[in-house]
């Protein structure tokens, strides 16, 4: 797979849209291309948590991310025939951030009921990296069993659990810690947080 293959980033209806947006912005700022899939509930969270005007979705992305020429491509979640639904479309992998328990369940049972779930299924069948960032608490047995099932298939599970050893001073610092952990698992360099053992600047 070429180094220039795009990553797919999915946002769902779990709380924590800020994580997904921060990841997308980092990718664009560092010259990487991304394909975006956002569920209906994900759009609602963007409105409720970040104040986005989502009445016209592509225009909302332009307002927040700049023009598509910056490197982003948007696919409606209902477009099951979009490029990312096929294994022949070359991608580096997929990150779902935040990942709702409903989406996690659909992926674990191979539902492929929408483009996001189908794209995740493509990652599994093609052996490409799939990273999910669940954001729910408390967790019950079904949540845990679904996460275990995905983990056994090689999916990286990165719960939105910020650490504090790096001395966060703001909410943005805590967001950057989680996004940094995601980037670590994507194999991408970053300096979003101070690593354990690194000296203070």
């Amino acid at each position: 797979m070429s180094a220039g293959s795009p990553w797919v980033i999915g946002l769902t209806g779990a709380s924590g849209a800020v994580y997904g947006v921060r990841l997308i912005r980092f990718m664009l700022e560092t010259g990487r291309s991304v394909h975006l899939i956002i569920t209906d509930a994900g759009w609602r969270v963007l409105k409720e948590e970040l104040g986005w005007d989502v009445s016209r979705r592509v225009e909302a992305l332009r307002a927040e991310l700049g023009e598509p020429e910056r490197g982003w491509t948007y696919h409606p979640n209902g477009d099951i025939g979009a490029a990312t639904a096929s294994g022949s479309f070359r991608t580096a992998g997929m990150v779902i951030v935040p990942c709702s328990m409903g989406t996690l369940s659909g992926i674990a049972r191979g539902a492929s009921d929408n483009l996001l779930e189908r794209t995740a299924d493509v990652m599994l069948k093609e052996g490409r990296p799939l990273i999910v960032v669940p954001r729910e608490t408390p967790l019950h047995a079904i949540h845990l069993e679904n996460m275990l099932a995905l983990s056994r298939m090689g999916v990286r599970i990165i719960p939105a659990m910020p650490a504090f050893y790096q001395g966060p001073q703001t909410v943005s610092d805590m967001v950057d810690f989680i996004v940094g952990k995601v980037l670590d698992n994507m194999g991408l360099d970053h300096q979003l947080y101070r690593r354990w053992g690194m000296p203070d600047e």
Side-chain angles (χ1 to χ4, degrees):
M1 186 172 298
S2 68
S5 295
W7 281 85
V8 182
I9 301 178
L11 282 75
T12 73
S15 180
V18 64
Y19 296 116
V21 172
R22 179 68 174 103
L23 177 62
I24 293 165
R25 287 180 172 153
F26 177 90
M27 297 290 281
L28 298 178
E29 289 163 3
T30 54
R32 297 176 173 92
S33 60
V34 294
H35 285 250
L36 308 178
I37 306 171
I38 305 172
T39 66
D40 287 344
W43 281 108
R44 176 164 183 170
V45 175
L46 286 167
K47 176 183 178 181
E48 298 290 341
E49 295 188 351
L50 301 183
W52 284 27
D53 178 0
V54 301
S55 57
R56 301 179 69 183
R57 293 177 174 182
V58 174
E59 285 75 7
L61 292 172
R62 282 196 171 100
E64 298 294 338
L65 304 177
E67 292 300 314
E69 289 75 16
R70 288 196 68 203
W72 61 266
T73 302
Y74 169 64
H75 303 284
N77 194 36
D79 184 6
I80 201 66
T84 63
S86 172
S88 65
F89 181 70
R90 301 288 291 274
T91 62
M94 181 179 191
V95 182
I96 305 173
V97 52
C99 183
S100 69
M101 290 300 149
T103 295
L104 193 146
S105 173
I107 298 168
R109 59 189 172 85
S112 294
D113 287 335
N114 52 53
L115 180 61
L116 191 148
E117 291 179 3
R118 168 59 186 169
T119 303
D121 194 64
V122 166
M123 300 302 139
L124 291 172
K125 79 182 185 69
E126 298 293 332
R128 299 174 190 165
L130 175 58
I131 300 166
V132 300
V133 182
R135 214 305 311 162
E136 185 61 270
T137 190
L139 299 168
H140 60 61
I142 296 174
H143 298 155
L144 296 169
E145 288 169 357
N146 286 333
M147 282 189 274
L148 178 59
L150 289 180
S151 180
R152 285 174 170 160
M153 288 186 275
V155 177
R156 301 296 294 167
I157 311 290
I158 305 176
M161 298 176 178
F164 295 90
Y165 61 77
Q166 78 279 19
Q169 300 298 307
T170 66
V171 172
S172 293
D173 290 340
M174 292 187 284
V175 170
D176 278 355
F177 178 83
I178 296 300
V179 174
K181 286 291 187 179
V182 171
L183 291 165
D184 286 346
N185 282 267
M186 296 168 75
L188 301 178
D189 292 333
H190 67 90
Q191 295 181 345
L192 294 188
Y193 66 89
R194 181 178 63 84
R195 299 179 185 278
W196 183 253
M198 290 178 61
D200 293 325
E201 295 184 357

